[in-house]
Amino acid sequence: MLTKSSAELVRQRNSVLVLTALRRHGPLAHTEISDFTKLSSATVSAITADLEKAEVIEKSEQQAASGRGRPRVLFRQRRDCGYLIVVVISSDAVQYSLVDYAGKLIDRFHEGRSHDPAGAGLFAAAIRSGLERIIERSRLARDDVLAISISSKGIVDPVDPILVWSPIFGGEQIDFGAILRSEWQAKIILGNETLLVAAALGLREEKERGPSFRALAALSLGHSIGLGVVHQTSQGEYDITAPNFGHMLHVANGGLCRCGTRGCIEAYAGFYAILRAAFEVPPDTIPAKFVPVAELDKIAAQARQGNRMSSFAFRQAGLALGNGLSRLVSLHERMPIAVTGPGTRYYDLLRQGIEEGLGQSSAVRMNGMPELRVVADEQNLVFEGHLNRALSVIDQDIVTSGMPLPA
Ligand SMILES: [Zn+2]
């Protein structure tokens, strides 16, 4: 039967509501599920019974804190309903993590990446063998993995898991679906790294502040510059985007960027740009592929001791970031900006330039300076963003593909 009955669609939608509430709030009692989902008690009973029978969720008893009275019965996702592999691609390593359906980390390792001219073919082989290694270590069957969630810096195709442009591979596209589909049944998801950071921060804010949370931007500083924006739509939902901020124009005919264009924000604020400015290398010099953090640390130490060119390099980077952010708040609205990534260790040197760059715009002069805050744990945020997104995709898939029936 190709068309699903409307009753079936309602049941699916309600099942997703229940699973989402359990994801967001952790194990919940019957009445709490009803409160969070606004579903009737009878509907919650029917849905939880179905999900329990299909071995998607399970019940556990929690003794009241006083030790007296009847224990509370809590529902939660079953750990063994399925598995997720998270792959985080960064400039110098690839991190693989295995996570169960309840969101618990089971295994994790890193594999280094060489900085030689990175061939997409070699990289594809490395990803295949990394996934092979994590599944062998776990002794799980390949089909137990329901999703593989991959992230990278760069531009991601809006529909398919294709990396369109990245600082590592340039314009050499990487189609993860094509690379993995012959070996894996799992759904392949690809996300921009700073979009995942923004999504994780947005969810934290929403949990804390409820519907009064309107918008937030995450700015990632490092070898490249990333931006993610979460904002509330007129329907009260949250829209998350990762505009190509690092490669937005900062100065016409300006410094040469890694992307091949001139004058991008990154050509002033990326690690290579700070290095270039500090050593007074002409701005049309082809950028270094990778700059060790230790090199930047040396420049920062000199800047903190008052060295003129080193201070100028950070100030120039701050100004480029501030000018870029001023355009963001002019186009959107004033919103808090969470600064994250390895570049936050130089925030003391960047801050004045960022504020000055922001303050030059009419939007900031009229509406005031947006709140700037440093959120240092970028790696945790990336992982949190992966889990939020991939586990909710798995929840949807389990419910809409017809839940597995108990044996
Ligand atoms: Zn560029």
Side-chain angles (χ1 to χ4, degrees):
M1 198 173 70
L2 285 173
T3 52
K4 291 202 169 99
S5 72
S6 58
E8 174 60 13
L9 287 176
V10 169
R11 194 188 69 96
Q12 287 183 359
R13 202 203 59 188
N14 291 344
S15 302
V16 169
L17 285 177
V18 169
L19 290 174
T20 305
L22 295 176
R23 289 266 174 239
R24 288 206 170 183
H25 306 284
L28 296 176
H30 182 105
T31 49
E32 292 169 323
I33 297 177
S34 187
D35 288 347
F36 284 123
T37 58
K38 314 266 187 291
L39 296 172
S40 72
S41 175
T43 304
V44 171
S45 297
I47 299 281
T48 50
D50 275 357
L51 289 170
E52 214 190 328
K53 210 164 83 183
E55 301 186 335
V56 176
I57 62 172
E58 64 188 359
K59 269 192 277 209
S60 64
E61 290 193 347
Q62 192 190 57
Q63 196 62 49
S66 65
R68 280 178 298 175
R70 278 201 312 170
R72 264 160 44 96
V73 176
L74 302 178
F75 291 95
R76 62 175 179 215
Q77 264 92 355
R78 270 184 78 117
R79 294 188 58 186
D80 62 358
C81 177
Y83 297 85
L84 162 70
I85 300 176
V86 172
V87 182
V88 178
I89 301 164
S90 54
S91 54
D92 55 349
V94 182
Q95 182 197 64
Y96 297 86
S97 307
L98 179 69
V99 180
D100 67 27
Y101 182 60
K104 204 166 164 51
L105 179 66
I106 300 171
D107 188 17
R108 171 176 283 173
F109 57 82
H110 289 80
E111 284 183 350
R113 267 180 17 80
S114 72
H115 299 294
D116 307 333
L122 277 177
F123 180 69
I127 291 281
R128 274 203 215 99
S129 81
L131 290 170
E132 192 69 49
R133 186 173 153 205
I134 203 159
I135 200 74
E136 267 174 25
R137 279 160 57 130
S138 72
R139 296 169 193 274
L140 290 168
R142 247 167 222 271
D143 293 354
D144 293 336
V145 178
L146 302 180
I148 299 173
S149 181
I150 306 167
S151 65
S152 169
K153 294 237 155 62
I155 304 170
V156 166
D157 183 277
V159 182
D160 295 310
I162 300 172
L163 189 57
V164 177
W165 186 92
S166 64
I168 303 172
F169 302 103
E172 197 176 1
Q173 296 203 353
I174 302 195
D175 182 344
F176 289 97
I179 293 170
L180 302 173
R181 217 159 270 143
S182 62
E183 291 168 19
W184 295 87
Q185 299 285 315
K187 178 168 260 180
I188 314 294
I189 310 166
L190 177 66
N192 167 283
E193 191 178 284
T194 317
L195 181 137
L196 294 177
V197 170
L201 286 170
L203 201 59
R204 284 186 190 177
E205 288 282 309
E206 201 192 329
K207 269 186 195 165
E208 247 171 59
R209 295 169 43 194
S212 73
F213 164 59
R214 286 184 50 81
L216 176 143
L219 174 71
S220 173
L221 307 180
H223 302 288
S224 53
I225 305 298
L227 184 85
V229 181
V230 196
H231 75 100
Q232 202 179 45
T233 65
S234 50
Q235 282 80 43
E237 282 158 9
Y238 290 95
D239 191 34
I240 311 163
T241 50
N244 195 9
F245 181 81
H247 302 281
M248 242 166 62
L249 185 65
H250 172 55
V251 176
N253 298 315
L256 184 63
C257 180
R258 268 199 297 196
C259 73
T261 315
R262 283 177 179 278
C264 299
I265 290 177
E266 195 183 288
Y268 292 85
F271 280 180
Y272 68 80
I274 296 173
L275 182 87
R276 199 163 60 183
F279 287 105
E280 297 182 71
V281 177
D284 57 354
T285 308
I286 292 173
K289 259 233 167 331
F290 182 79
V291 181
V293 171
E295 284 298 313
L296 264 286
D297 280 350
K298 274 188 225 158
I299 300 171
Q302 286 166 356
R304 287 181 190 119
Q305 284 162 13
N307 178 283
R308 200 179 56 85
M309 277 325 283
S310 302
S311 307
F312 169 77
F314 282 102
R315 189 184 136 69
Q316 178 177 258
L319 273 173
L321 295 167
N323 282 166
L325 291 171
S326 79
R327 294 185 177 115
L328 171 80
V329 295
S330 301
L331 289 168
H332 277 269
E333 59 182 299
R334 197 171 81 144
M335 63 178 93
I337 295 155
V339 186
T340 181
T344 50
R345 59 206 280 140
Y346 314 120
Y347 188 67
D348 59 322
L349 299 167
L350 294 165
R351 184 180 170 167
Q352 204 193 350
I354 293 177
E355 287 180 353
E356 208 179 307
L358 267 162
Q360 288 167 352
S361 75
S362 150
V364 171
R365 286 169 66 179
M366 281 197 292
N367 305 318
M369 187 66 73
E371 180 205 331
L372 291 158
R373 58 175 97 140
V374 175
V375 186
D377 61 342
E378 187 180 43
Q379 287 314 302
N380 291 334
L381 288 166
V382 171
F383 189 65
E384 207 175 300
H386 268 286
L387 294 196
N388 293 343
R389 186 172 185 204
L391 292 173
S392 93
V393 167
I394 292 177
D395 286 343
Q396 295 264 359
D397 285 354
I398 284 179
V399 167
T400 52
S401 66
M403 287 179 277
L405 286 170

